[in-house]
């Protein structure tokens, strides 16, 4: 039986989604059905479809009492909304159903594990937030909260761990059919750690060990863990809060972190070998992955960041979208990301240009648009003469544009959305150091109306940001200071939606 709170959300979203024009939404990225979206949750393959749940507040374009929104897809590009899956309707989750994950039970039902939040109101307005881990079981549309909730609570924490910062369970089915859950936690030193819990049936859980600890290195609390084997290594993804910058790798604020290491499947004794940012752009957080039926590990993230959520364009009736799903691989100790190959099926008109010796500025009548897949390869036109700077202006009209610029002398790639229509003093620029030689740059850029995702060197680096520019700004300009050889291939993304 659905609660009143859930029934109301389901009725509300059906009506509210109708006031949003299809044209105002991204074409092939999932955005909230209505109101507000943050983290991806329960990213899974279930009953022949991908399911993606998300942190959801249907009633406003600001964060509020968290529900779980829900959408399904067969290609991760065409999404169909399902009714809201979870609402904050129990004592233990009355202040929010926070992030979590999904697995399939042996009997064919889908098991969701999420964080239930309930606040104690104390004297003088003081609040303590208690976070526990809860279950809901369902059929892909309706989910019933488990009567034994919460299944993991403050009594199951290791010594010193906070009861207030204990969230975002990520369940994984092990090879032997038992379950692991990786959960974000804050130890006494105030930084983050990931706790490992185990279960034989998915319902009764015990604390096993600390999987990985921040030890003051990467920001503070670690949110939204994901942990999986890939290409002979094990990968731990987390979203650290309150980062300090480290060179061009990590930036101030809420960030994204990938730890690559080795691990024994039975012991789960993760030994870190390398670390890197997941995304080097501005708007990326809370990544989660799914293993596709064909074995691909596919990642999706919230295409926003808590440090930049302030600007709400007044006319926008929704807030929050996901990144493009990305195929992951580990190569030479690094995480690589590439747009899911399904996107290639949606390619429409193609334009191609090769300029052997180009300097100055150029635009092409057939290279423009706001829903495009654009590839640009550049190198110096003359071996003995390095160019000074290459610049690409996207989503451009007389007043607005968003810039990507590359300085080969320093190998610095900069994204800049200062002139993309934002009226807020938030971060608009970011520089990253690219591993490249001799002025060669290989870019694949995906534009989907209000977002730009830049895949560099075959996915060795990715830079993601949202933009605010009106859709009529669809020009693209190429500028070279010095002489370059340039190869451009552009496809429109135009499939029937
Ligand atoms: C990360 C996060 C999670 C939490 C959720 C609440 O973006 O803070 O830790 O579960 O958002 O909406």
């Amino acid at each position: 039986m659905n609660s009143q709170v859930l029934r109301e959300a389901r009725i509300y979203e059906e009506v509210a989604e109708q006031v949003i024009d299809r044209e105002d939404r991204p074409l092939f990225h999932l955005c909230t059905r209505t109101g507000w979206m943050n983290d991806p949750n329960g990213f899974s393959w279930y009953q022949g479809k991908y399911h993606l749940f998300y942190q959801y507040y249907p009633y406003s374009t600001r964060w509020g009492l968290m529900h779980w929104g829900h959408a399904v897809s067969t290609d991760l590009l065409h999404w169909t909304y399902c009714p809201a899956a979870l609402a904050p309707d129990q004592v233990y989750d009355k202040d929010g159903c926070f992030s979590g994950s999904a697995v399939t039970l042996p009997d064919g039902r889908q098991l969701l594990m999420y964080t239930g939040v309930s606040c104690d109101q104390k004297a003088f307005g003081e609040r303590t937030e208690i976070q526990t881990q809860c279950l809901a079981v369902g059929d892909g549309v309706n989910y019933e909260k488990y009567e034994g909730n919460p299944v993991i609570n403050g009594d199951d924490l290791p010594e010193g761990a906070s009861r207030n910062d204990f969230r975002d369970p990520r369940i994984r089915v092990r090879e032997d059919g038992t379950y692991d859950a990786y959960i974000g936690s804050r130890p006494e030193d105030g930084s983050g750690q990931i706790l490992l819990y185990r279960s034989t049936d998915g319902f009764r859980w015990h604390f096993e060990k600390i999987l990985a600890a921040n030890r003051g290195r990467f920001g503070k609390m670690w949110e939204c863990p994901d942990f999986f084997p890939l290409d002979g290594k094990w990968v731990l993804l987390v979203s650290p809060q309150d980062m300090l910058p480290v060179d061009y790798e990590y930036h101030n604020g809420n960030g994204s972190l990938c730890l690559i290491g080795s691990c024994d499947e039975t012991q789960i004794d993760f030994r870190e070998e390398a670390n890197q940012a997941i995304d080097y752009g501005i708007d990326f957080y809370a990544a989660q992955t799914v293993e596709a039926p064909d074995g691909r590990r596919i990642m999706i993230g919230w295409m926003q960041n808590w440090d930049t959520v302030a600007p709400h364009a007044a006319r926008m009736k929704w807030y929050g979208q996901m990144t493009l799903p990305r195929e992951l691989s580990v190569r030479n100790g690094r995480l690589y990301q590439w747009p899911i190959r399904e996107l290639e099926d949606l390619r429409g008109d193609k334009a191609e240009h090769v300029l052997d010796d180009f300097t100055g500025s150029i635009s092409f009548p057939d290279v423009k648009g706001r829903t495009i897949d654009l590839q640009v390869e550049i190198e110096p036109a003359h071996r003995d003469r390095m160019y000074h700077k290459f610049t690409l202006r996207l989503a451009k009209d007389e007043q607005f544009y968003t810039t990507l610029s590359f300085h080969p002398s320093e190998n610095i790639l900069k994204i800049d959305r200062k002139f993309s229509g934002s009226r807020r003093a938030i971060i608009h620029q970011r520089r990253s150091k690219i591993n490249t030689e001799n002025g060669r740059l290989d870019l694949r850029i995906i534009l989907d109306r209000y977002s730009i995702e830049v895949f560099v060197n075959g996915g060795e680096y990715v830079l993601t940001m949202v933009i605010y520019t009106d859709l009529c700004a669809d020009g693209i300009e190429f500028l070279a200071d010095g002489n370059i050889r340039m190869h451009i291939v552009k496809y429109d993304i135009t499939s029937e939606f």
Side-chain angles (χ1 to χ4, degrees):
M1 255 291 279
N2 292 327
S3 68
Q4 178 76 7
V5 192
L6 184 61
R7 284 203 305 274
E8 273 169 16
R10 287 180 167 192
I11 293 167
Y12 180 84
E13 63 186 359
E14 263 191 33
V15 179
E17 74 173 346
Q18 288 168 22
V19 302
I20 304 170
D21 288 341
R22 192 65 199 86
E23 294 289 296
D24 268 343
R25 294 179 182 272
L27 186 66
F28 49 95
H29 287 67
L30 179 68
C31 71
T32 186
R33 184 168 184 184
T34 180
W36 164 277
M37 162 194 277
N38 57 290
D39 314 353
N41 294 157
F43 195 16
S44 50
W45 173 262
Y46 179 65
Q47 290 183 342
K49 286 182 187 131
Y50 292 100
H51 287 247
L52 186 62
F53 304 83
Y54 54 90
Q55 290 286 281
Y56 181 39
Y57 187 56
Y59 304 110
S60 153
T61 53
R62 313 254 162 194
W63 189 87
L65 264 185
M66 280 295 107
H67 296 54
W68 274 34
H70 186 189
V72 293
S73 174
T74 49
D75 64 359
L76 295 161
L77 298 166
H78 296 78
W79 290 96
T80 307
Y81 291 112
C82 301
L86 300 177
D89 51 16
Q90 304 294 321
V91 181
Y92 50 82
D93 65 15
K94 66 179 172 47
D95 294 295
C97 299
F98 276 18
S99 287
S101 52
V103 292
T104 305
L105 290 168
D107 65 8
R109 293 178 302 161
Q110 195 176 36
L111 180 71
L112 310 181
M113 190 190 261
Y114 67 98
T115 300
V117 178
S118 90
C119 296
D120 280 347
Q121 204 72 40
K122 292 210 178 120
F124 311 112
E126 208 188 298
R127 271 158 62 103
T128 34
E129 194 175 283
I130 300 297
Q131 304 190 335
T132 58
Q133 316 316 322
C134 306
L135 301 175
V137 182
D139 60 1
V141 180
N142 292 305
Y143 295 85
E144 185 110 8
K145 289 182 184 165
Y146 177 51
E147 70 272 8
N149 280 344
V151 291
I152 307 176
N153 63 32
D155 301 336
D156 307 310
L157 284 165
E159 183 141 359
S162 159
R163 289 172 182 246
N164 320 123
D165 283 311
F166 177 40
R167 57 182 174 273
D168 310 335
R170 174 66 168 115
I171 318 189
R172 190 175 67 88
V173 185
R174 295 159 59 85
E175 273 167 16
D176 63 4
T178 62
Y179 304 86
D180 278 357
Y182 314 108
I183 308 180
S185 152
R186 184 165 55 78
E188 259 163 346
D189 72 358
S191 74
Q193 63 189 4
I194 302 303
L195 306 180
L196 165 60
Y197 288 79
R198 282 240 161 114
S199 170
T200 47
D201 61 1
F203 292 84
R204 285 166 300 151
W205 292 86
H206 68 270
F207 171 69
E208 183 82 17
K209 61 159 84 161
I210 297 170
L211 173 75
N214 187 357
R215 295 191 298 277
R217 295 171 299 162
F218 306 104
K220 296 257 177 194
M221 168 75 184
W222 282 357
E223 300 188 304
C224 303
D226 199 345
F227 186 58
F228 49 87
L230 186 63
D231 299 330
K233 293 285 173 195
W234 282 73
V235 177
L236 176 64
L237 306 179
V238 292
S239 296
Q241 297 179 317
D242 309 312
M243 299 275 277
L244 289 172
V246 180
D247 300 326
Y248 291 99
E249 190 67 30
Y250 301 107
H251 304 281
N252 317 59
N254 294 288
S256 64
L257 170 69
C258 168
L259 295 172
I260 299 177
S262 40
C263 184
D264 177 271
E265 158 84 18
T266 331
Q267 304 294 328
I268 304 288
D269 53 346
F270 182 55
R271 294 175 299 273
E272 292 174 33
E273 289 162 6
N275 69 78
Q276 65 173 94
I278 306 175
D279 195 284
Y280 295 81
I282 303 172
D283 297 297
F284 185 90
Y285 202 67
Q288 202 172 78
T289 68
V290 66
E291 189 180 348
D294 60 9
R296 284 178 294 166
R297 179 62 60 174
I298 299 174
M299 180 185 75
I300 203 160
W302 180 37
M303 194 151 50
Q304 278 297 343
N305 186 293
W306 291 112
D307 291 302
T308 56
V309 290
H312 281 45
R315 61 178 187 78
M316 270 297 182
K317 298 192 184 74
W318 57 271
Y319 194 85
Q321 56 176 313
M322 296 298 168
T323 65
L324 193 67
R326 302 168 182 178
E327 294 179 14
L328 299 185
S329 55
V330 173
R331 279 182 255 162
N332 308 320
R334 265 193 79 83
L335 183 76
Y336 277 69
Q337 305 168 48
W338 198 237
I340 41 157
R341 60 196 70 167
E342 286 81 345
L343 185 66
E344 286 154 40
D345 299 336
L346 307 187
R347 284 172 172 172
D349 284 352
K350 178 179 178 185
E352 185 164 8
H353 299 275
V354 179
L355 285 79
D356 279 322
D357 192 349
F358 164 72
T359 183
S361 141
I362 193 165
S363 295
F364 306 91
D366 56 358
V367 180
K368 62 181 168 82
R370 288 286 286 270
T371 53
I372 58 167
D373 183 345
L374 173 68
Q375 291 158 40
V376 183
E377 279 170 37
I378 61 160
E379 58 183 344
H382 311 286
R383 270 172 191 237
D384 53 348
R385 235 186 314 138
M386 184 54 77
Y387 63 96
H388 302 293
K389 186 179 175 186
F390 169 71
T391 307
L392 187 54
R393 289 191 173 157
L394 302 154
K396 179 181 174 322
D397 63 8
E398 287 74 43
Q399 194 181 358
F400 297 111
Y401 53 85
T402 297
T403 307
L404 247 111
S405 51
F406 181 64
H407 288 268
S409 58
E410 305 164 303
N411 282 341
I412 297 288
L413 180 67
K414 180 175 143 194
I415 52 172
D416 186 346
R417 61 171 179 191
K418 192 170 166 193
F419 301 104
S420 82
S422 161
R423 291 177 189 272
R424 297 269 69 84
I426 53 163
I427 300 275
H428 289 117
Q429 301 172 340
R430 192 141 278 171
R431 289 177 174 77
S432 44
K433 195 151 181 106
I434 298 304
N435 169 31
T436 187
E437 278 172 13
N438 305 326
R440 281 172 166 274
L441 186 65
D442 173 358
L443 304 174
R444 181 164 174 205
I445 302 162
I446 311 294
L447 260 85
D448 186 5
R449 294 195 173 136
Y450 299 104
S451 68
I452 301 180
E453 291 164 273
V454 184
F455 297 80
V456 186
N457 291 348
E460 193 180 359
Y461 306 85
V462 188
L463 294 87
T464 300
M465 66 180 154
V466 298
I467 56 171
Y468 306 91
T469 332
D470 274 350
L471 292 181
C472 51
D474 67 351
I476 298 177
E477 185 183 10
F478 301 82
L479 300 106
D481 178 359
N483 295 63
I484 60 169
R485 180 174 194 280
M486 177 161 70
H487 182 188
I488 303 161
V489 179
K490 186 233 48 175
Y491 298 93
D492 290 328
I493 303 290
T494 52
S495 148
E496 296 297 309
F497 275 84

